[in-house]
Amino acid sequence: GAVVSQHPSRVICKSGTSVKIECRSLDFQATTMFWYRQFPKKSLMLMATSNEGSKATYEQGVEKDKFLINHASLTLSTLTVTSAHPEDSSFYICSATRPGTDTQYFGPGTRLTVL
Amino acid sequence: AQSVTQLGSHVSVSEGALVLLRCNYSSSVPPYLFWYVQYPNQGLQLLLKYTSAATLVKGINGFEAEFKKSETSFHLTKPSAHMSDAAEYFCAVSELIQGAQKLVFGQGTRLTINP
């Protein structure tokens, strides 16, 4: 069964609003979670590494103030897209690494559409 | 930095035929390599992984991959394609950056199965 969940699976919002996406590890505690963005028919682009209890590490070119990441507990990381615009429309996927392994388990993704 | 190249953005085979999806990597250290499958509007599911043990790795759904250091390759194969194998496949290499194992993905290969 799924070990990482995301909520919501799909969200439509108006331009200028903020949207929060949750990522949960279901049966293990994850000190590190990752957030990816995937454009249509494209590969996954790592946006940031979410570390429990500390600030997220963003990849080059990703706006920290635009994509706010909070990793408040060992099972929950949130990504908030602030002041969303149509170009932020994309498929956002999170993953979590099971402790003691090198394997990332991926969530089912969240489809964001900004009108 | 490590990188992954998947040869062929689209592969089409007949049901029952051999599936071969190509992946080449570049890495300055012994790599950890992964194959993931993505069905439409879903997250990624791990098919198999290579972590410096046996060079021939068997995964789920009848897939396997062989690590060839001399060719820097990690091609994915399945002897007999099934209609349910139609999906997007991603090869990835794991890179340790600032204490976190980050995945670098290839461009993806869309597999189509013809009846």
Side-chain angles (χ1 to χ4, degrees):
Chain A
V3 296
V4 176
S5 69
Q6 278 184 245
H7 178 79
S9 59
R10 186 182 297 268
V11 57
I12 300 173
C13 69
K14 293 182 178 180
S15 185
T17 61
S18 294
V19 174
K20 179 185 286 187
I21 303 170
E22 294 185 348
C23 177
R24 294 181 184 273
S25 56
L26 299 179
D27 64 353
F28 62 93
Q29 294 182 328
T31 55
T32 303
M33 292 183 173
F34 301 89
W35 286 96
Y36 296 84
R37 182 173 180 176
Q38 186 179 32
F39 292 99
K41 302 186 186 298
K42 297 291 185 182
S43 187
L44 280 74
M45 180 190 75
L46 179 64
M47 298 175 65
T49 303
S50 174
N51 304 297
E52 190 271 336
S54 64
K55 292 183 178 180
T57 304
Y58 290 81
E59 298 300 301
Q60 190 173 7
V62 178
E63 299 177 58
K64 302 177 182 181
D65 296 330
K66 175 76 173 176
F67 300 99
L68 299 179
I69 292 173
N70 184 283
H71 194 152
S73 78
L74 288 171
T75 59
L76 173 65
S77 175
T78 61
L79 168 67
T80 301
V81 183
T82 62
S83 186
H85 288 91
E87 57 265 30
D88 299 324
S89 297
S90 193
F91 195 53
Y92 293 88
I93 305 175
C94 73
S95 72
T97 301
R98 186 185 290 273
T101 75
D102 299 298
T103 303
Q104 287 188 27
Y105 293 90
F106 286 79
T110 297
R111 172 82 53 195
L112 171 64
T113 302
V114 185
L115 302 177
Chain B
Q2 296 172 328
S3 66
V4 174
T5 301
Q6 291 183 239
L7 299 176
S9 59
H10 190 192
V11 171
S12 181
V13 302
S14 298
E15 189 175 17
L18 171 71
V19 175
L20 171 61
L21 304 182
R22 300 179 187 274
C23 172
N24 289 88
Y25 69 91
S26 69
S27 174
S28 58
V29 298
Y32 285 4
L33 294 160
F34 304 80
W35 274 100
Y36 284 88
V37 61
Q38 183 181 33
Y39 297 99
N41 295 311
Q42 294 187 27
L44 275 67
Q45 180 181 5
L46 179 67
L47 277 177
L48 49 82
K49 64 179 179 180
Y50 167 77
T51 56
S52 73
T55 56
L56 182 62
V57 182
K58 293 186 182 298
I60 62 171
N61 302 339
F63 284 94
E64 62 182 35
E66 185 173 8
F67 173 70
K68 291 187 177 181
K69 183 178 180 180
S70 61
E71 298 177 7
T72 61
S73 69
F74 190 57
H75 301 331
L76 181 71
T77 61
K78 182 174 180 177
S80 177
H82 192 273
M83 295 299 291
S84 61
D85 294 328
E88 188 87 18
Y89 291 80
F90 292 95
C91 181
V93 62
S94 179
E95 185 174 30
L96 183 63
I97 299 178
Q98 297 179 331
Q101 287 281 359
K102 296 185 178 181
L103 288 177
V104 176
F105 286 90
Q107 305 91 319
T109 298
R110 180 168 298 277
L111 177 63
T112 302
I113 310 298
N114 302 314

